[in-house]
Amino acid sequence: MGQLVRSFAFQSLMLAAIAAVLAHYTGSEHIYVVAGLTLVVKGLVIPRFLIYSMDRLKVRREIEPLVGIPASLLISGGLVIVAYYITEPLISSAETVTRNCLAVSLAVVLIGLFMMISRRKAMTQMVGLLMMENGLFLGIISTTYGMPLIVEIGIFFDVLMAVLIMGIFAYRINQTFETLDTTFMRRLRG
Amino acid sequence: MIEALLLVPLFTALLCGLARSERTIYVLSAAGSTVTALVAFPCCYQALSGPPLHRGPWYLDPLSALFVLVIVVITLLVSVYSVQYLQHDRREGEVNVKDLRYYHVLLHLFALCMLLVVVVDSLGLMWIAVEGTTLISAFLVGFYKKGEAIEASWKYLIICSVGITLALLGIVLLYASSMAALGEGADTLDWSALRAVADQLDPALVKVAFIFIVVGLGTKAGLAPMHTWLPDAHSQSPTPISALLSAVLLNCAMYGVLRVHILAQAAVPGFSSSLLTFFGLLSVAIATAFLLTSRDLKRFLAFSSVEHMGIIALGFGIGGPLAVLGALFHVVAHSLTKTLMFFGAGNVIQRYRTREMREIKGVGRTMPATASLLVLGGAAIAGSPPFAIFIGELLITAGALASGEYLVAGLFIALMAIIFAAMTYRVLGMVSGRPQEGVPAGELGALRLIPMLVLAAAILMLGVLLPSALGDALGSVAELFEVII
Amino acid sequence: MSPAALPSLMLSLPLLGAVLAVLLRSERSRVYSYLCSAASAVAAAIWSVQVLLEGTASLVSDAPSVWGEYAIRLDPLGALVLLITALTFACVAMYALFSREGVTARSALLFNCFVLSILLAMVADHVLLLMIAWEAMSLTSFLGAWGAREDEDTIAGWRYLAITHFGAALVIAALAYLAVSSGEVRLSEMRGLSALIGPGASAAVVIMLFLGFGSKLGLLPFHIWMPDLYSRSSSTVTALLSTAASNVAVLVFVRVTFSCVGVEGQYALSLTVMGLAALTALWASWQALVQRDGARVLAFSSMENMGLILLTMGAAMLFRAYGAAEPAAFALMAALFHLINHTVFKALLLMGAGTVRRAAGEWDLERLGGLARGLPGLSAVFLIGTLSVAALPPFNGFVSEWAMFKALMHAEPIADPLVRIALPLAIAVMALCTAIAATAYLRLYGLTFLGRPRSAGAERPRPLERSELFPLLPLALLCILLGVASFPLLEELAAAVSPLVGASGLKVVEGSSINFLHQGGLDPLGLSALLGFGMLVAFLIVRATGRRKVERVDTWDCGTPLDRRTQYTPTGFAQPLLRVFQKVYRPQIEVREEPRPSEYIRAVRFEQRIPEPFVDHLYKPLTAGAIALAMRVKRMQSGSIQAYLTYIMVTLVVLLVALR
Amino acid sequence: MQLTDVLIVIAEVSFVLMVSPLLTGIIGKAKAWMQCRQGPSVLQPYRDLWKLMRKATVASREASWLFFVIPYVCLGAMICLAVMVPVFNVGPSGGVGDMVATIYVLGLFRFMMVLGGLEGGSPFGGMGSSREMMISAIVEPTLLLSIFSVAAISGTTDLSSISRFFAALGPKGLSPTLFLASAAIFISLLAENSRVPFDNPATHLELTMVHEGMLLEYSGKELAMMEMASYVRLTMFMVILSNVFFPWGIALGTGAGELLVGVASISLKLLLLSVSVAVVESVMAKMRLFRLPNLLTVSFTLSLLAVMSYYIL
């Protein structure tokens, strides 16, 4: 789990870097603000909170996932191909620098979703969701050079809220089910 | 004026949070929703008759006015109903005063977020409001601290967040498609601006954007196959909340889809309507299967919501004056009827202390008033004529026949007949026969019956006559869909 | 009075009645709500007479509906049917009052709503108003019938609701299609749409209407709800359901098929209608013979009569398809005349059966018998009803059945060999149906009123007061009146029906006899006079040969003392015909050895059950299949969040790839 | 209806009432003669009727008011039938009812008789009634189909116009349809009047009697009326058979000569028919009850063939 959070933090840092480069390239200053925000919120605050809650819930190892490692790698590869296949007609018209960013963002979103499907632990599903947000964020800055500021800040604020609330629910699950393994939560059927 | 509309629920939520005794909380909550309603009616009337109110971030056009009315009315009825519902829970000892305060704060914040969704102009802010509704209602779904409630709220949270994230990607792509037409300007995310330039949007981007929106917001609206969270959330949450979820939250999500459908219809005519028709029919079909086999009363009503959301999507998908009028009428009819059914179910469940329909027998004997209202509601929700839902379904069928889609109309009618049979079987099964021993007779409270009577009268009246005010309102909303009634 | 006074009075009175039923608490005052509905029936009768005199009356209400203003219209044809139905309503309302069947607020409310929806459906001109009234009719009749006995399980009632709703869905789809394709919203303005929508579509519309309305009339595949509902609910509701509801169904079907859509050139369609109607009539008469409960026999008898009416209507469609207007008009007149007669005698019989059930406390024929001595008045009135339903001379059933036979005998103008084979077969089927049905009615009357009582209840029936017979008398009189002097009604009917089929003023009554195209007529008045004359002669012969001494002695018992068990039971009575038509009934006979009371006597238990093939081989497999399929789909909601997320991802990817 | 027509009708009715017991006597006599025994005299039925008329009525305690009304209705129906059907004159009686109506009047008579059978509540009455209904339920379609074939040929269902049509046509009118229809009606005659192959009118053996079973409870004047009605029914059947299928010699106008020829021809035909019935009765034995439907289906197919042959030939 710890390794997962660290990779998420690394991904957010890279994202902030791309944002900074883009801000420099287009010269609009409010993207700098956004890059800074990504660095602070996604790079530091959220991983810190995740590690803190993991300690509290004493969640160490992810028991072996539903889909084996080789299978998930293959599927992720497939998803990347699908993402490129889908975005191919869209980006033929866009300018050069952000040409394949949309494809990458779509790929990250799909892989994030796949990760939520293939892992058992609730925390991992949260991290999967955050990865989808990251992919999404990449899509935002690459295709539209930054949405109106209030919307950006609103989205950041929502992501933060979502993580906090999921943390609370994860704590509740741990309290009632003594495990974070969502495969045990199958009582509501039919 | 619109700010006032938003501030009142916020203010009520704060007051409920601070109030000391139970009685004040109930009074405050009911008063708050009444004031919201009083504030909402004038501005909706103005939006429906005159030009849309567009000030700052707020944008109130006929479509949003219609949804505001639905939200406000249903919230009022829910808050009145939940007074005695929670009192009963208090007596049963399932809920303490802190939970009570917690419930009412969240209830009004939930109403605030939903109003925000339909009032705001920019699609980004709308997304934020929808995300807000999910987060707040997750707590409401998990209100009872039982294991199943936690599981239901977790699934609700995760699935809806995934859906909304995909929807955001859709909005982004939509925004990207408008780059070419509107240039760099900051306000390009406002719906009114996009509406003006809708036909110059880049078709390829709009198509992909609409797919993301339908799958994303469709999850929130409960369209099959993304509806899986709906039965769990509805069956575990307290009944007034599941009424609010079913009747209003699903509509707000559908409101988002409709906003983008209007744009997509102009940019890529025909693409979005065929998608909506596909999802509509799929939802109705899957809901039919579940209605035939589900045994839990609230899950049963949840699947009926999936079915009716499918019908609304089908109505907009078919297009044409009749079908669009039918779908708009169905939005109103479904909200009213579904709330009535949930209130009836609430009474029955609290009296029989079980949600298993096979164990509920003889409601006609123990609670005659609720039983007759349940039978009326059951007939209404199943789509039998003297009630409003039938009018919606009839107009949609007529629209389908008018636009020559005979297969769609035929399939639709067949599914409706099966659903009618399944629903009446369940409702009659509960109401007739002899109740088991140990179930005390007598209604649970007079106050709860008032909202139910109001709803029953409304759907009966809407079923037979169409008041001119509502007629003109629906007409003005339909103009948005380039359809003249 | 202004033209709008009567119809609005007719429609508002039941509403008033319904409100009274809910508000007034005391039993005594609930009588007023029944009086309201009776008054509205009288208003309807006066209005229809006014329409007959002055011609069509139509009224557009200003209440806006989703599809333009509601409108009601009453043309002479509707007026005739409404006149008789209204009179029946009045009698049924009286019956509900005097029958002391527990006049609860609920039954009074539902009765008024039921009457309102029937009157509305009969005069509705606006498509939407017709749909609403039609379904409201089945909803209120269901609630009225279902609530009568709480402990009964809901299957019978629910089956009725589900099937009639399916039928209503077909009707609504057909009417919606007509309204949409013609742009008109009022039935009266839709003329000859088959030219507009083409023969194929118009055939489909007519078939949908036929099956839709058939579900209420008890057409073959949809008939399974009828017997259970009739036997379980109160006779007030079944009397209205089997008479008024069927009238509305047939009336609207005739109007839409003949004037709105038009049947020129629809040969195959008419033959299918005739075929299905013939099968329904045949099946109903067979089943009527083996029922154990009086109400069930009457249920199948309604089904059989409706089958015959639809058969004659199919013949009218066939003649119209070949362009022979006069025979078509005569056939249509005969069918509608039988419909009117059916309303009268079926209401009489159902109310009579209800009174028998209340007096003897029994409903099973096997436990009735010998009631004629205890209730002479009721047995006389019931005999009149039975003779008219069995179509025997002096009564109204005979005149209309004769007219239906004559209608089928006009095959000459059509040269097509297929028709020349179809009509004789139709006559054969009709003859077989009437014969078997007559046996069933005889069995019903004979084994209820004659012979020796088979149960304590039948032995000492509760004596009926005068007031309980009061509602039945007018109907019995009407049966005789319609049988003997039906010329004015026939002429009006012929005049009303001719425009539907494009015939120019059909000449039906020649001199004193109903004679069509001078092919052998019938003078009902003359025939009844002759019967009276014959009986007079017989009486004179008997009087001439001295006084009559009557001595009462035990029935001739050939030595063994007779008791209640040594006489023919209803099952025994039907046994010969059951054996003749064994292939149809396929009775499941089970003979079991019982423990021997002593070594000399063997106790054997004989059990015979007549299966319901439609339920066992059509409806049960259908529902089982649907449930199985639903179970398979149900597995989709497996409870695992991973599965749910997979559905979303798969949908997304598939859509994106497919619609690239 | 001028005076002469009324007179002719009264003459016809009285002729039928007088002749019917005679015909049954002739049948009994012919049967006895064929079985080389002397048999009762031809006038025996008159004597029975006269004896019964003067006897007191003994009715069962279970019988209701209907028991005493039924004989009047039955005899009245038969007298009405006698008026409706032209016997020896194709006269004015055409207006009242056509052949379909006659079948329904016969139906009324049968309905009432069966009700009479059920009155006493004894097993024999019940057995007679249920078997009578079984036979009649299958005979009625045959009768109606044969009428349809005759009506198809002559273009009308009115009895007098049919006989006038075939009388005018004379022997040329014979066609296979008519032959098949007459055979079908002859079998129905045997069935309706419960003659031998269907039921043995002479015997009182409980398990075999159908017609007698229904009359078991009747006695005295009522029995006389019921017997008289059965005799008239048999005669009317024979009159219909002869006047529809071979009406040569029936009086077309109202001249005295024609009437005499008409009376002579009708009496001859009735004689011939009763003898043929007697021949059939002595040749065939009574069939088992559940073999009757086969015979009745034969008559049904005959009438069906009659209709088909009209259209195909």
Side-chain angles (χ1 to χ4, degrees), chain B residues 408-421:
Chain B
V408 168
L411 202 59
F412 180 59
I413 291 166
L415 289 173
M416 283 300 112
I418 298 170
I419 287 173
F420 180 89

Side-chain angles (χ1 to χ4, degrees), chain C residues 154-212:
Chain C
T154 58
I155 283 292
W158 171 71
R159 230 187 241 167
Y160 164 67
L161 204 60
I163 292 177
T164 28
H165 180 81
F166 177 73
L170 287 177
V171 165
I172 287 165
L175 289 179
Y177 178 68
L178 286 181
V180 154
S181 51
S182 73
E184 291 297 334
V185 178
R186 297 179 55 183
L187 287 175
S188 47
E189 264 110 29
M190 299 182 195
R191 280 278 171 280
L193 289 182
S194 63
L196 183 70
I197 53 177
S202 58
V205 164
V206 170
I207 279 292
M208 275 164 75
L209 281 173
F210 182 65
L211 294 178

